[in-house]
Amino acid sequence: MVRTAENTRAQKEDGRVKVKPCTRGTKLGELKDVGIEPYENLANAIIKQAVIDYKEQLHELLKNPNSSSAMHEAQRLERFFHSDWYTTLTSLDGGRLINGVRILVRKEAAEKEWKEILSESKKCRKQAEMLRNGGKMPEAEYTAEDAAILAKKLEQKADTLKAEAVGKKAEADELERQAIKSVGFLVNEPKRKGRS
């Protein structure tokens, strides 16, 4: 069956042309229902992959701000989010999406930092507890009095790190609230393996 103007209608909405195929198509000589859903799924998959790639480049730029390849790729993806092709695929504002992804990357970085700081704080507390219980630090020999002083310093360091971790957690929570306002549908995306 050949598609004609009678069985395919084009609609114009928001500056985009939506093609609505007929309800019947051919598959090996048999009639079959054909819908627009596969095209929407493809458009969503293209945008989702671009978002994933953009996030990876932004994470790389946080680790290495002088990375010219990450900067080039991030700029290329930003041009895509402002392109005619992007607006053909979706009605979601590209600038809003870019802003939301940037917020999400900052949130993820703050969460990672928070977890690392909290881990260091716990490690200090564990070392202090070991010293208080008569254990020795492998790096040095010292008296019981020195061990008590070192344990107290480790406890203070642990308290300072915990306070810093609380601040990072608050920063991550605020960034998450901003991200939900901007691009809430991206916030609960499952994390990719290897990304924390």
Side-chain angles (χ1 to χ4, degrees), residues 62-76:
L62 282 177
K63 286 185 229 170
N64 181 7
N66 297 326
S67 173
S68 60
S69 62
M71 178 62 73
H72 174 74
E73 188 62 18
Q75 289 171 343
R76 185 188 69 78

Side-chain angles (χ1 to χ4, degrees), residues 39-116:
Y39 301 106
E40 290 173 348
N41 290 341
L42 177 61
N44 289 338
I46 290 168
I47 293 166
K48 184 177 180 179
Q49 188 60 53
V51 167
I52 289 168
D53 293 346
Y54 187 54
K55 282 175 71 174
E56 286 177 358
Q57 299 309 314
L58 292 178
H59 276 291
E60 181 60 33
L61 284 169
L62 282 177
K63 286 185 229 170
N64 181 7
N66 297 326
S67 173
S68 60
S69 62
M71 178 62 73
H72 174 74
E73 188 62 18
Q75 289 171 343
R76 185 188 69 78
L77 288 162
E78 287 174 1
R79 284 192 302 274
F80 165 72
F81 292 129
H82 290 294
S83 71
D84 290 339
W85 184 36
Y86 173 83
T87 56
T88 300
L89 296 172
T90 185
S91 60
L92 180 65
D93 179 58
R96 180 176 169 218
L97 183 65
I98 289 170
N99 185 50
V101 171
R102 287 178 181 171
I103 292 169
L104 279 177
V105 167
R106 288 187 4 240
K107 171 199 163 278
E108 290 169 2
E111 281 179 342
K112 183 178 180 183
E113 232 180 303
W114 160 65
K115 289 175 183 175
E116 288 170 355

